[in-house]
Every structure is written in structure tokens, then in C-alpha cells.
Amino acid sequence: FFNGDGCSHCADEKIFLKEMKDEYGDQLEIHSYEVWYSQENAETFETFAKAFNFEPTGVPITFIGDQYWTGFGATTREALTQAIADGVKNGVIDAQQIVNGETPAIATIDRSATGGIKLPFVGQVDLSGKSIWVSTILIGIVDGVNPCSLWVLTMLLAMIVRTESRKKTLMIGFVFLTVTSLIYALFITGVFTILSYISFMKWIQIGVAVVTLVMGLINFKDYFFFKQGVSLTIDEKHKPGIYERIRDVMNKSDNLWAMIGATVILGVGVSLVEFSCTAAFPVVWSNLVVSAGVSTPTFIALLVFYMVLYQIDELVIFLIAVFTMRSNRMKEEQGQILKLFSGTLMVVLSIVMIVNPAWMNRLGNTLLTFAIAIAVTGCIYLTVGWLLPKFGVYIGHKKAPKKKGKKNR
């Protein structure tokens, strides 16, 4: 059992292994190696990884006979429980024999990839932890309907369609979506990388969850008091610059390469301005992925999947504009509803990450978490928008209708 002192997943597995030791007694022998603060143990770790023909990406990693497991979660716990029971009953070769060359390395099996798929350029991807894939589907779709991103896209398309050129609309939209997607993917990768290195400090993980909790509460507030006080929207001072860059794209529409260049500049500029508005969900999602203890290939596959889902709504809007040569701007009320749901979901997910991150490792719990967020959103929307006005109570942006004065005869 190779582990790191301070690694939360390692700590969870230590508790599990102690339970197994209590159950099986002398029938189970555990060799524990702390690799972060011991150079000798780190070298032993590298020797094992080399003998088992894989590149380690972190700890914990557990070896039993010719099998090994990376990470620790609900799925790994079940697999290790079964492997230990089988080993006690039927016997198991010593993993050290593989390291010493007494048993061929070709016999080694990575059980952490059981139930996975092999993707081109990515490698084996673990699908056994289905809950993180479900979380990715739901968060990716919700993140995609971010009012800031949709506002910029609809503004851009509204101006492009005036050229009455389907080719130019298609080209500008494709370049803009590609540039913003690449920058967003790089940002998410950076967040995941940082959290992966510091996640062994539990207070860091909780601190990140607290930050996203605050961001969720701000979005929640925006449903009632849009852009009043602190608000995670595109600052009004940046909008003239965005309008200017959009006009610059239009002014260069006679020159294809100049138009593409101007669109790239627009995409980069908008991405940088949008971060305060769009950063919360990537941080929440990255925190969940790190907590799930996924491998690097699985993270890459999850990220690609996330970005596809993130762009679905924008692609739909874009393609409608291309085929109809019409574009409608996003209304403020629509943005407020999106803020309500995204804020509620951020708050619920952040609370889960603070209280018990392992809760999201089970598919049923994941679905229940999102169902709670949807139910709360629906209750608030119906209460504020329909129920309270029936009693003459209006909150935030829901203003009482103006009374019509008597007409003079």
C-alpha cells in the first residue's frame, strides 16, 4: 500500500485496511509505504510501477499479487474487499516476486481500469465510477447555459447576420466558439492541476468549496437583485470594449483572414473578461474530479466530454442563426432564471464538498443532489413569480404592476 502523509484518499484507505486487518487478522499482511516524505519508499514505489509496466500519477496505489489499483473510492473499496477475500480463500502470489522478476510482468493487471474503455490518444479510461460522469453531464450542461457566454454570443450573431452572408456567419461563429472553448479548457486544466497537487491538504479542499459557495450565493442573489451590489456578470465598463471588438470583426468582413484574426482577438478578450462570471462551475467540477481520485487519462476524457456538453447550447443557437440568418438577443429575465438555478446548484454542491465529498462517489447520491437543486429552484421560482404576487407580495425584480389611472372624459 503506497500512500502519502496528508493525502485524504490515502487516509480513507488506511481506515479501510485497518478494518480488513481486524477482520482477517494474521491471514492478511499489509506492507505500507509512505512515499512523499521518504526517498527510500519513493524509490521502492518507482520499482513496483516499473515492474508492473505503468506510469504512476499519484497515490494511493495498492498491489495485491499481480493486480494493482490506483486511487481509492467506493468502487475501489468494493474491489479490494473482494480481492482480499479471494486471496485469503485461494491464496495469492507475492507482488514482490513480480518486482524481483520471478513472475513475468505481462501477468500484471490494472484493476482500477476494469469496466473502462480505450480511447485514441487518451488510453484506458475508467468508467466504473459512473457518478463522476453523471456529475460531468449535469454540470457541463448547466455551465453551458451561462448568461454571460450566451449574451456575448447572441450579440455577436445579431451583428453578423446583418451581413446576410451565411458563409461569414458560419466562419466567425466557428472561430469564436473554438477560441473560447480552448481557453476555457486550459483554465479548467490549470484548476484541476493545482487542486490535484494540493488536495492532500483537507483544508484547501474545504477552502475551495467555501469560495464556490460564496459565488453560488452571489448568483442566487442576482435572481432577486440583478447586478445590484456584488455581481458575477460582465462588468458594464468592459461592454464598450466588447462592442468595439465586435464592430472590428464586422469592419473586416471583406477580408477573410483579417476577419478571422479579429474574431480570435475578440474570443480571447471575451474569455478573459468572462472568467469572473464563468469560473465557479469549473472550480466546483474540478474539485469533484480530484475528490473522485480519477487517473490522468480519465480526466482528459472527462474534460473533452465536459467541453462538448458546455458548447451544446451555444452550438444550437449558432446553427439556428446560420440556417435562419436571424438572431435574438438574450433577455435579462432569462438571465435571471439561469442565475437562480446555477446559484442554487453551486450552493448545494459546495455544501456537499464541505460536509462529505465522498457523498458524490455514488450514483444515487449524485442524482439526489441535482434533484434537490432542481426542486429548490422550482419552488423559489414558483413562489416568487406566481404564489406571492397573488397575495400582493413582490420580491426583488418582481415589481408590482403599475395601477392604471382613470382616463379623463
Side-chain angles (χ1 to χ4, degrees):
F1 169 49
F2 292 94
N3 57 88
D5 187 12
C7 161
S8 59
H9 299 296
C10 301
D12 292 339
E13 186 170 347
K14 285 180 182 178
I15 296 172
F16 161 74
L17 291 176
K18 184 179 183 303
E19 293 171 354
M20 293 293 98
K21 182 67 176 177
D22 292 341
E23 180 177 348
Y24 291 103
D26 293 339
Q27 293 177 294
L28 176 63
E29 186 175 358
I30 301 171
H31 301 274
S32 181
Y33 299 87
E34 198 292 320
V35 301
W36 284 355
Y37 299 100
S38 171
Q39 182 62 34
E40 182 180 354
N41 288 346
E43 291 174 358
T44 302
F45 184 29
E46 292 176 2
T47 302
F48 266 73
K50 184 176 180 180
F52 277 68
N53 294 318
F54 77 97
E55 188 70 31
T57 58
V59 289
I61 292 185
T62 311
F63 296 85
I64 300 178
D66 61 349
Q67 307 174 57
Y68 66 94
W69 291 260
T70 58
F72 184 76
T75 304
T76 312
R77 181 188 183 95
E78 294 173 6
L80 288 174
T81 301
Q82 186 62 48
I84 291 172
D86 291 343
V88 170
K89 181 179 179 180
N90 305 315
V92 64
I93 65 171
D94 188 347
Q96 189 68 52
Q97 294 178 346
I98 296 176
V99 176
N100 295 340
E102 300 171 20
T103 299
I106 193 173
T108 62
I109 305 170
D110 178 9
R111 292 301 183 189
S112 63
T114 300
I117 58 173
K118 193 168 185 179
L119 299 178
F121 310 110
V122 175
Q124 189 75 19
V125 175
D126 181 16
L127 294 179
S128 57
K130 298 180 181 65
S131 61
I132 192 61
W133 290 87
V134 173
S135 296
T136 299
I137 291 172
L138 299 172
I139 295 176
I141 292 174
V142 175
D143 190 18
V145 292
N146 190 297
C148 295
S149 302
L150 293 177
W151 176 80
V152 175
L153 179 64
T154 54
M155 283 292 301
L156 176 64
L157 293 175
M159 297 187 72
I160 296 173
V161 295
R162 294 179 185 176
T163 63
E164 298 183 353
S165 171
R166 186 168 280 110
K167 179 181 178 181
K168 291 177 181 178
T169 303
L170 185 64
M171 180 65 69
I172 292 175
F174 175 76
V175 172
F176 179 79
L177 292 178
T178 301
V179 171
T180 53
S181 295
L182 288 175
I183 293 176
Y184 206 51
L186 288 173
F187 170 70
I188 296 175
T189 302
V191 172
F192 172 80
T193 302
I194 293 172
L195 291 180
S196 296
Y197 280 107
I198 64 178
S199 65
F200 61 88
M201 292 182 280
K202 189 68 176 178
W203 65 272
I204 291 286
Q205 191 177 62
I206 293 175
V208 171
V210 170
V211 171
T212 54
L213 173 62
V214 173
M215 298 174 79
L217 290 172
I218 293 173
N219 271 343
F220 186 82
K221 180 272 303 178
D222 270 347
Y223 173 67
F224 299 95
F225 307 100
F226 196 54
K227 296 184 180 180
Q228 295 182 29
V230 179
S231 182
L232 299 178
T233 56
I234 297 177
D235 198 306
E236 292 296 327
K237 68 180 180 181
H238 295 305
K239 288 187 177 181
I242 294 174
Y243 293 139
E244 183 62 34
R245 291 190 181 96
I246 292 176
R247 282 193 290 269
D248 189 42
V249 172
M250 299 298 299
N251 292 336
K252 292 181 170 60
S253 59
D254 292 335
N255 186 317
L256 179 62
W257 291 108
M259 182 182 68
I260 292 175
T263 305
V264 170
I265 295 173
L266 171 66
V268 173
V270 166
S271 296
L272 297 177
V273 169
E274 277 183 348
F275 275 143
S276 63
C277 183
T278 60
F281 273 123
V283 175
V284 170
W285 179 77
S286 297
N287 213 2
L288 284 172
V289 174
V290 171
S291 297
V294 303
S295 64
T296 300
T298 301
F299 165 71
I300 295 173
L302 282 167
L303 178 60
V304 172
F305 191 41
Y306 186 99
M307 292 309 303
V308 170
L309 295 165
Y310 173 77
Q311 289 288 17
I312 280 179
D313 61 308
E314 295 190 356
L315 281 171
V316 170
I317 294 172
F318 167 56
L319 291 175
I320 290 174
V322 170
F323 287 109
T324 65
M325 291 308 291
R326 293 180 181 179
S327 178
N328 295 319
R329 297 184 184 183
M330 187 174 186
K331 297 179 181 179
E332 187 174 289
E333 184 178 357
Q334 295 170 329
Q336 287 173 309
I337 296 173
L338 294 178
K339 284 281 189 178
L340 172 62
F341 179 55
S342 62
T344 304
L345 183 58
M346 283 181 213
V347 169
V348 172
L349 289 174
S350 298
I351 291 174
V352 169
M353 294 303 298
I354 292 171
V355 176
N356 181 19
W359 167 268
M360 297 293 289
N361 290 338
R362 292 186 177 275
L363 181 59
N365 294 346
T366 298
L367 295 174
L368 177 60
T369 300
F370 283 89
I372 290 172
I374 293 171
V376 171
T377 300
C379 288
I380 294 173
Y381 180 74
L382 291 175
T383 300
V384 174
W386 177 76
L387 182 61
L388 292 181
K390 284 184 173 294
F391 298 94
V393 179
Y394 298 88
I395 300 176
H397 67 279
K398 289 294 181 182
K399 305 294 184 183
K402 294 181 180 180
K403 294 182 180 181
K404 297 180 179 180
K406 294 182 178 180
K407 296 182 179 180
N408 294 324
R409 294 183 178 179

